[in-house]
């Protein structure tokens, strides 16, 4: 099963934590051993049922073959129904992540223990959990989920790879893991990106380069970057101007730094700019 890719807004500063309402059922903290065990259990159940039907057909009397086939088909359809129900929930969960994070978490928490789920359905469910944790600014968990999913064979849910790399890059930047952010950005450079995805990647790369002190790289091809940045909404647009102003100042390009900072002040809020200065150690 596959579906259109979800693109959470990846901006700087980080998305505001979602609400204060607690979910009626909360997801356990993500753990890779449990994640892998769930995938293994899903696979084992399907294999056991298939082998049982095959053995029954081979060793039971011939007149039982039709009965075995019918029972096997009914059981297999029943198992597929479990995945189908969860798959049909995914668009609603995606909507709830924006409007009602508590409901989204409850739905994910109730769906994850179901077995067996088709591999792609379980991966997409964990993808939604990664988005939810990202929105809640639980970046370490968002990064852990995204990294675990990227290590898996994502087909036919392959259309989430770009989204996972974008989230992983930002989560690593928020956690101060510049090496992890570089690796995720390198992964993005090998994928075909839509215009919006390329804009998100560029914004994250600017953040990475300024955080690393690679100010010259951040200022390369500046005219094109400014044109792209100004397609973003006000807050991230202003913050990126401020980051580039800091890079220009550190490169002793004072007129450029002053111009960029004035642009940032026009577009962004004093609070956001103060946060940029704090993070840059200015």
């Amino acid at each position: 099963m596959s579906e259109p890719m979800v693109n959470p807004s990846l901006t700087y500063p980080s998305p505001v934590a979602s609400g204060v309402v607690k979910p009626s059922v909360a997801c356990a903290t993500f753990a890779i051993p449990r994640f892998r065990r769930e995938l293994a259990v899903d696979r084992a159940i399907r294999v056991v049922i298939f082998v049982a039907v095959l053995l029954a057909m081979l060793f039971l009397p011939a007149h039982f073959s039709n009965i075995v086939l019918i029972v096997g088909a009914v059981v297999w359809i029943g198992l597929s129904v479990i995945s189908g129900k969860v798959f049909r929930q995914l668009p609603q969960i995606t909507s709830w992540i924006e409007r009602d994070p508590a409901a989204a978490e409850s739905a994910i928490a109730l769906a994850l223990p179901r077995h067996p789920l088709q591999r792609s359905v379980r991966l997409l469910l964990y993808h939604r959990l990664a988005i939810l944790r990202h929105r809640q600014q639980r970046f370490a968990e968002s990064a852990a989920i995204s990294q675990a999913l990227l290590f898996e064979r994502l087909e036919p849910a392959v259309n989430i790879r770009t989204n996972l790399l974008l989230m992983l890059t930002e989560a690593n930047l928020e956690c101060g893991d510049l090496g992890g952010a570089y690796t995720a950005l390198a992964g993005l450079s090998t994928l075909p990106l839509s215009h919006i995805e390329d804009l998100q990647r560029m914004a994250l790369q600017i953040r990475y380069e300024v955080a690393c002190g690679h100010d010259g790289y951040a200022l390369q091809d500046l005219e094109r970057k400014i044109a792209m940045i100004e397609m973003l909404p006000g807050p991230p647009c202003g913050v990126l101007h401020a980051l580039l102003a800091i890079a220009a100042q550190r490169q002793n390009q004072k007129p450029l730094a002053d111009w960029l900072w004035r642009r940032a002040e026009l577009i962004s809020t004093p609070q956001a700019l103060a946060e940029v200065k704090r993070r840059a150690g200015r």
Side-chain angles (χ1 to χ4, degrees):
M1 292 184 181
S2 62
E3 61 168 354
M5 187 177 70
V6 177
N7 276 309
S9 175
L10 296 170
T11 59
Y12 179 96
S14 311
V16 176
S18 302
V20 294
V21 179
K22 292 184 178 180
S24 56
V25 184
C27 296
T29 302
F30 178 76
I32 290 178
R34 183 175 60 249
F35 167 70
R36 290 178 177 164
R37 185 169 59 250
E38 288 171 348
L39 290 172
V41 169
D42 288 336
R43 182 171 58 252
I45 291 173
R46 292 183 178 277
V47 169
V48 166
I49 292 171
F50 176 79
V51 170
V53 171
L54 183 61
L55 291 175
M57 291 180 64
L58 289 174
F59 295 105
L60 286 177
H63 60 276
F64 284 115
S65 295
N66 289 337
I67 297 175
V68 171
L69 281 173
I70 292 171
V71 171
V74 169
V75 171
W76 198 262
I77 290 170
L79 296 179
S80 297
V81 166
I82 298 173
S83 290
K85 286 181 178 178
V86 174
F87 183 74
R88 287 192 295 274
Q89 277 188 296
L90 288 173
Q92 182 67 71
I93 290 171
T94 302
S95 175
W96 279 337
I97 289 172
E98 291 285 349
R99 299 184 292 104
D100 190 349
E105 178 148 1
S106 294
I108 294 170
L110 291 170
L112 283 175
R114 296 181 184 178
H115 290 287
L117 291 179
Q118 290 184 14
R119 179 185 177 82
S120 60
V121 173
R122 189 169 295 281
L123 296 179
L124 288 169
L125 198 57
Y126 269 105
H127 174 232
R128 298 308 187 272
L129 181 59
I131 295 172
L132 177 64
R133 292 295 182 249
H134 205 81
R135 297 277 182 191
Q136 294 169 330
Q137 297 188 356
R138 293 170 60 172
F139 293 113
E141 194 169 353
S142 168
I145 299 170
S146 298
Q147 187 71 69
L149 290 173
L150 287 164
F151 273 122
E152 296 294 326
R153 178 178 52 83
L154 292 176
E155 293 81 0
V158 68
N159 56 356
I160 66 173
R161 180 174 295 279
T162 300
N163 183 248
L164 287 168
L165 284 167
L166 288 167
M167 277 198 296
L168 181 60
T169 302
E170 184 170 45
N172 282 331
L173 286 170
E174 292 293 339
C175 293
D177 182 0
L178 297 180
Y182 172 82
T183 301
L185 283 168
L188 283 168
S189 69
T190 66
L191 298 177
L193 303 179
S194 69
H195 178 70
I196 292 175
E197 290 164 347
D198 190 46
L199 187 56
Q200 292 174 328
R201 181 208 56 77
M202 184 204 66
L204 291 169
Q205 184 163 338
I206 289 172
R207 287 183 56 187
Y208 166 78
E209 289 168 347
V210 174
C212 291
H214 300 327
D215 301 314
Y217 287 109
L219 295 172
Q220 282 181 356
D221 200 10
L222 186 60
E223 186 175 344
R224 182 187 66 85
K225 288 179 179 176
I226 292 295
M228 292 183 69
I229 287 169
E230 291 182 350
M231 298 178 191
L232 290 166
C237 175
V239 167
L240 287 168
H241 276 84
L243 286 170
L244 290 170
I246 291 171
Q249 183 181 47
R250 294 196 301 221
Q251 289 283 296
N252 297 316
Q253 299 185 42
K254 189 175 185 306
L256 176 60
D258 290 343
W259 179 82
L260 287 165
W261 194 260
R262 286 196 301 271
R263 290 283 297 160
E265 289 176 326
L266 286 173
I267 300 167
S268 195
T269 64
Q271 294 84 356
L273 297 183
E275 178 66 9
V276 172
K277 288 183 179 180
R278 184 190 69 79
R279 288 173 179 249
R282 185 178 175 190

